[in-house]
Amino acid sequence: MSRPTRRRSLQGLLLAALLTVASAACSGSGSDESASAGCPKDRPSCRTSAAPKASSATPSTEIGEATETPAASPSPSSTPSTRPSSSAKAPAPSGTPAARTGCASPGACGFPDARTTGPRTRLTPKKTGYQTIRTDGTVIRGQDITGSLDIYADNVTIIDTKITSDSWWGINLRPGFSGLRVLHSTITAVPGTGPDNGGVDYAVSNMGGSSIEVGWCDISVFGDALSMGQGDIHDNYVHDIEPFVNLGGEWQHTNAVISGGGNTGQLTIRHNTLLNETSLKQGSSGSIGLFADVGVVRNVTVDDNWIAGGAYALYGGSTGATGIKVTDNIFSTEFHPASGGYGVVAHWNDKGAGNVWRNNRLSDGRLVTPEPAS
């Protein structure tokens, strides 16, 4: 039954007033604007907390199809969202890894795969070859790049982009620079085109002493895919690593994530799929390799990842390592019965200050207990 006609004008006034109030509450002003319900274009999911301050006061230089500088990335500890697609999978199941075992694939257990990583937008092909970035605040968005990026600048963002490298690296941050963010991108290479006897080694390399962020990326081919002592590596899919023989005639060791020690900051590796399918005869090292090559390994968090392959799936930093937290990971047996060819973990320092090993399981649900470092 419709309302009487004489009440319609009053209803319209009340509705208009309510809409005005609601509009003011949603739009906000100043620093409160980031807490509104709308999501910035480069965020995969809404956040209710206020956005952090901009990382640089220098105006950004946009390269690509973007219209704004990306907002700060969500915390990797949150549940990752899927890419906008009609075929996007259901949200990741909750609970500890013990409740997510027996899956046919990482994606079936809620871990990153090809559907939830890589660019979310249409890309524009661009042949750059070797390219140097020297302008602070540069944003590269929406490009399908054939080449590599060598970064001598602060606060550079690569987002919704594909890089197919024919060089030693895909993206490299030089010493003395900071603030690099690589988000929602595909980074791959052409085997046999790199400078070391055709080898291609680093998808993203952090040569500096500051943290960088790599998130929601699809990474393949490179021998040591993610190389850094400090950084925030989250929600990535690393797979199909390509081994190669170096100029010395030896198989180059391969790792999905590698850190050479000596870091002064924090390295966080959270909610990634890290696969190293390389055979033991072709130089396979680890899915995560924490090595004391240039100094002590310290302050590394390895949490809630799907890890498989390598000689050992995880190299734990050796006897001097401290502050290493390995928690709630699934060590998959998809390549080897013990996750790695020789086992789950090597060189774990169980006596190191702040070292934690908790609730790590094989993909069939069995708890894993590391042997002490020798």
Side-chain angles (χ1 to χ4, degrees):
M1 180 181 295
S2 62
R3 296 192 179 196
T5 304
R6 65 179 179 270
R7 299 186 60 183
R8 289 180 182 170
S9 60
L10 178 59
Q11 177 189 10
L13 291 173
L14 290 172
L15 180 59
L18 288 172
L19 288 173
T20 301
V21 173
S23 175
C26 289
S27 61
S29 61
S31 61
D32 292 334
E33 185 174 359
S34 62
S36 64
C39 293
K41 290 181 180 179
D42 60 347
R43 288 196 186 186
S45 60
C46 292
R47 293 283 181 255
T48 57
S49 59
K53 294 180 181 179
S55 56
S56 173
T58 306
S60 67
T61 300
E62 187 82 29
I63 302 177
E65 301 177 346
T67 58
E68 62 179 346
T69 301
S73 174
S75 167
S77 62
S78 59
T79 302
S81 64
T82 56
R83 295 161 59 195
S85 169
S86 58
S87 61
K89 64 177 183 169
S94 60
T96 64
R100 291 180 287 150
T101 56
C103 299
S105 66
C109 264
F111 288 94
D113 60 13
R115 297 173 298 170
T116 59
T117 56
R120 304 161 297 175
T121 59
R122 189 180 299 275
L123 305 180
T124 301
K126 185 174 182 180
K127 262 195 168 182
T128 67
Y130 170 86
Q131 183 178 9
T132 302
I133 306 296
R134 296 187 182 274
T135 303
D136 290 352
T138 296
V139 177
I140 298 175
R141 185 199 303 260
Q143 293 191 21
D144 186 349
I145 294 172
T146 301
S148 59
L149 303 178
D150 200 4
I151 299 171
Y152 293 80
D154 294 329
N155 303 316
V156 172
T157 297
I158 296 102
I159 186 168
D160 289 318
T161 287
K162 179 179 180 181
I163 294 175
T164 304
S165 174
D166 55 1
S167 185
W168 188 255
W169 59 72
I171 301 167
N172 182 48
L173 181 68
R174 290 289 179 168
F177 299 94
S178 63
L180 174 64
R181 301 166 70 219
V182 184
L183 309 173
H184 299 287
S185 294
T186 293
I187 309 166
T188 189
V190 180
T193 59
D196 188 0
N197 201 33
V200 288
D201 209 0
Y202 306 112
V204 182
S205 170
N206 181 10
M207 297 177 68
S210 65
S211 181
I212 71 174
E213 181 184 5
V214 183
W216 303 284
C217 290
D218 185 326
I219 298 168
S220 61
V221 178
F222 292 93
D224 287 316
L226 297 173
S227 174
M228 62 195 71
Q230 44 272 316
D232 185 0
I233 300 172
H234 63 90
D235 302 288
N236 301 289
Y237 174 44
V238 182
H239 59 102
D240 293 305
I241 289 174
E242 187 76 22
F244 65 91
V245 176
N246 62 20
L247 289 172
E250 300 173 334
W251 285 105
Q252 182 73 14
H253 288 171
T254 60
N255 300 272
V257 177
I258 185 171
S259 179
N263 58 302
T264 57
Q266 174 75 34
L267 176 60
T268 300
I269 306 166
R270 178 170 285 125
H271 201 261
N272 303 277
T273 297
L274 304 173
L275 309 179
N276 186 354
E277 308 96 319
T278 309
S279 74
L280 298 176
K281 294 180 179 180
Q282 293 179 305
S284 178
S285 183
S287 284
I288 299 177
L290 307 178
F291 302 113
D293 292 338
V294 297
V296 174
V297 178
R298 59 173 69 89
N299 302 330
V300 181
T301 296
V302 180
D303 177 65
D304 190 30
N305 299 280
W306 178 284
I307 303 168
Y312 286 91
L314 170 67
Y315 285 82
S318 197
T319 53
T322 60
I324 314 300
K325 299 177 176 63
V326 183
T327 57
D328 295 332
N329 298 283
I330 292 180
F331 289 92
S332 172
T333 59
E334 59 198 278
F335 304 132
H336 304 286
S339 190
Y342 300 128
V344 170
V345 57
H347 304 298
W348 173 253
N349 182 16
D350 62 327
K351 304 296 185 183
N355 290 353
V356 176
W357 182 281
R358 183 179 63 243
N359 197 30
N360 299 292
R361 299 175 182 267
L362 292 173
S363 48
D364 61 8
R366 288 177 292 162
L367 279 169
V368 175
T369 303
E371 295 181 4
S374 57

